Amino acid sequence: MNAAVNTTTIGFMLSRPWFWASLLDGLKITLYISGVSILLAFVFGIVVGVARYSRAPVISWIATAYIEFIRNIPLILLMLFCFLVGQMKDVAAAILALTVFTTAVIAEVVRGGLNSVPKGQWEAARSQGMSYLQILRHIVLPQSVTKMIPPIVSQFVTAIKDSSFALLLGVVELTARGNILKSLFSGVGQILMIYAVIALFYFSINFAISLVARALQKRLSAGRGSIG
Amino acid sequence: MFDGFIQWLGNLSLMFSSAKWASLGDHLGLIFSGLGITIVASVLALALALVLGIVFGVLSASNWKPLRAVARVYVEFFQNTPLMLQVVFLGFGLPIVWPQFNAVPVLMVGVIGVGIYHGAYISEAVRAGIQSISKGQLEASLSQGMSYVQAMRHVVIPQALTVVLPPLTNQAVNLIKNTSVLLYIGAFDLMYQAKSIQAANYNPGPVYLVAMVLYFCLCYPLAFLAKRLEDRAEAAQGGGQA
């Protein structure tokens, strides 16, 4: 009785090393799924966005159909589809679905940014003998990147949050750890604390990214002239 | 590698065999009842999100700092943590901590989760709308003999709506898509029915394809409307000083 440890206190839970190890393992999987998806989607998003913006009929049409379809179906459905119909491993299916989805969103941002550059600039550059790619690379992209970066960065936050849908495929990422840890502790305070700690993990990463996005936006819009 | 691909293709074609489509046909009733629940959940969640969004949007545009701080905490917390985590908490954590919460129907638990989450995004749209109108406009209207209500009704709100409506409509699309998390707490929505039919008959191909088409039919008209509204807002901004 005298040496008995009260296992239902928050302090007991927070002083278990395996409690933190479990959450950090989950965080690793969350960051792996979202990180790989973000990198791939950033590249593909620019390609698809330029394709959507281009005047080439078939290419532009395919890009439009892709963007419109993917943006109007739930990501959860896309993940389950990749997992079962695509016969993929759970983490791979989550990465593929998140990449496909984020690519569509970023492509739309890229198109919007490119559209913001007046058409006259194309004509002016073309009259100077520049090629399509040269104009894109030296004239249009430098001017429109200011508009694209903040929404793209905030899409990174969305990707980190949405990677939690992978728990539906059985991936034990950060959110799914809550379900496991919850069954190991019985204290009311402990259960609240588990969710609070997980929320804090997500919040600190995403809030930091949001702050970077805001700072970027300020710097880019302040130094407009110096970007080209 | 090549053999693996052939086998993958073989499995894929089996998944879309006529027997698998037939087993979907037996459960169309469930699919459409799920669609109905998804629509009901979306409407209720959107109503909640609108109320929260307007209240916190007005708060975050207010001049009094403590009110702004309350709104900031709400917006930042819900924008920076996953909806899935919030729904897992409402569905499986909160009922342990607060047993009375078990009395809330599952559908309403989902509506609360999705509504609060999207309320944070709508609040940001409302704030941007309010801040887009300069104070001078209200003062000018009042000096022309308009009452406060008239000035709001004829001058301020119509302009604010041009700014607020496009992101609001986009949020409605995201909200409909996000009601698919209801499947995790067992709310019999479209996603739930699709997953359970798939589990019972192992026909993920036809079921998920049909569910995709149904979600697309719900979302695309709104997304199209959002784009039209965006174009109109841009035109209004460009030619504003006519």
Side-chain angles (χ1 to χ4, degrees):
Chain A
M1 176 187 157
N2 45 7
V5 178
N6 186 354
T7 57
T8 59
T9 63
I10 295 175
F12 173 82
M13 180 178 80
L14 294 184
S15 57
R16 298 306 98 183
W18 52 263
F19 172 81
W20 295 103
S22 167
L23 287 180
L24 285 176
D25 277 350
L27 181 65
K28 261 187 233 161
I29 299 175
T30 288
L31 290 180
Y32 174 67
I33 293 175
S34 49
V36 174
S37 306
I38 287 166
L39 284 178
L40 292 175
F42 184 68
V43 176
F44 293 143
I46 292 174
V47 173
V48 176
V50 170
R52 166 89 170 81
Y53 172 76
S54 82
R55 294 243 183 91
V58 179
I59 294 176
S60 164
W61 189 86
I62 293 174
T64 308
Y66 168 80
I67 294 171
E68 294 298 340
F69 185 71
I70 296 299
R71 287 200 342 147
N72 287 301
I73 60 168
L75 178 56
I76 289 179
L77 189 49
L78 201 58
M79 275 193 190
L80 288 167
F81 191 84
C82 292
F83 184 50
L84 294 173
V85 182
Q87 308 157 48
M88 299 174 75
K89 294 233 167 63
D90 48 10
V91 172
I95 290 176
L96 177 65
L98 194 53
T99 303
V100 165
F101 177 76
T102 309
T103 296
V105 179
I106 291 180
E108 196 55 15
V109 172
V110 169
R111 186 197 65 101
L114 293 175
N115 264 343
S116 71
V117 176
K119 293 271 182 272
Q121 303 220 4
W122 276 95
E123 288 151 21
R126 193 151 280 162
S127 76
Q128 298 296 310
M130 290 174 94
S131 73
Y132 184 86
L133 282 180
Q134 278 177 325
I135 301 174
L136 211 56
R137 158 96 179 71
H138 295 288
I139 310 281
V140 177
L141 273 177
Q143 295 183 72
S144 47
V145 99
T146 330
K147 276 201 164 170
M148 294 178 201
I149 295 222
I152 288 180
V153 177
S154 74
Q155 195 55 37
F156 291 175
V157 170
T158 305
I160 291 174
K161 291 193 296 177
D162 284 356
S163 68
S164 60
F165 291 148
L167 85 86
L168 292 163
L169 312 183
V171 179
V172 197
E173 41 67 74
L174 187 53
T175 299
R177 299 280 158 165
N179 284 338
I180 294 177
L181 290 170
K182 184 199 70 191
S183 60
L184 299 176
F185 294 97
S186 54
V188 165
Q190 288 175 324
I191 288 169
L192 283 176
M193 197 53 161
I194 292 169
Y195 290 104
V197 170
I198 294 177
L200 190 68
F201 272 46
Y202 277 109
F203 185 84
S204 21
I205 293 168
N206 287 336
F207 192 62
I209 296 176
S210 307
L211 288 182
V212 170
R214 259 171 242 171
L216 262 179
Q217 189 169 24
K218 256 193 195 144
R219 173 172 296 184
L220 287 176
S221 52
R224 263 194 90 101
S226 63
I227 292 166
Chain B
M1 173 81 189
F2 187 69
D3 285 348
F5 181 65
I6 294 293
Q7 197 185 351
W8 182 84
L9 268 186
N11 290 342
L12 194 67
S13 69
L14 278 181
M15 258 182 240
F16 288 96
S17 69
S18 53
K20 297 294 186 190
W21 280 101
S23 63
L24 168 68
D26 298 341
H27 298 94
L28 273 184
L30 283 179
I31 290 274
F32 282 105
S33 81
L35 180 66
I37 301 260
T38 289
I39 293 173
V40 170
S42 302
V43 170
L44 293 176
L46 187 61
L48 175 61
L50 274 176
V51 171
L52 291 172
I54 291 172
V55 169
F56 284 98
V58 169
L59 287 186
S60 52
S62 83
N63 290 324
W64 199 41
K65 219 172 174 182
L67 285 183
R68 275 209 311 270
V70 169
R72 280 330 298 166
V73 169
Y74 167 67
V75 170
E76 296 297 347
F77 180 79
F78 286 98
Q79 282 196 347
N80 288 309
T81 56
L83 172 61
M84 197 72 207
L85 179 65
Q86 293 153 22
V87 168
V88 164
F89 174 71
L90 288 177
F92 304 106
L94 195 55
I96 300 177
V97 177
W98 183 34
Q100 284 90 331
F101 195 72
N102 272 316
V104 179
V106 179
L107 180 68
M108 292 318 290
V109 173
V111 165
I112 293 170
V114 175
I116 295 179
Y117 179 79
H118 284 283
Y121 285 89
I122 291 179
S123 147
E124 283 294 88
V126 170
R127 181 179 62 89
I130 295 174
Q131 288 177 344
S132 71
I133 312 296
S134 71
K135 250 209 172 105
Q137 298 224 13
L138 182 62
E139 285 159 10
S141 313
L142 294 177
S143 78
Q144 296 297 309
M146 283 186 172
S147 70
Y148 182 80
V149 175
Q150 279 177 325
M152 278 289 167
R153 159 96 180 67
H154 296 289
V155 178
V156 176
I157 290 178
Q159 294 184 78
L161 278 184
T162 346
V163 177
V164 174
L165 278 180
L168 193 67
T169 318
N170 273 323
Q171 276 313 307
V173 175
N174 287 338
L175 184 144
I176 295 174
K177 294 193 294 176
N178 274 339
T179 56
S180 55
V181 296
L182 264 65
L183 112 106
Y184 196 59
I185 51 175
F188 303 105
D189 65 310
L190 177 55
M191 194 63 241
Y192 175 90
Q193 297 293 8
K195 193 163 188 270
S196 58
I197 295 171
Q198 175 277 124
N201 303 284
Y202 202 68
N203 56 349
V207 175
Y208 287 158
L209 215 54
V210 166
M212 272 182 195
V213 171
L214 289 176
Y215 274 112
F216 183 81
C217 292
L218 282 184
C219 295
Y220 185 71
L222 277 173
F224 183 77
L225 177 69
K227 187 147 276 175
R228 289 287 294 271
L229 290 167
E230 265 165 33
D231 292 345
R232 216 180 60 181
E234 241 161 63
Q237 257 176 4
Q241 301 299 320

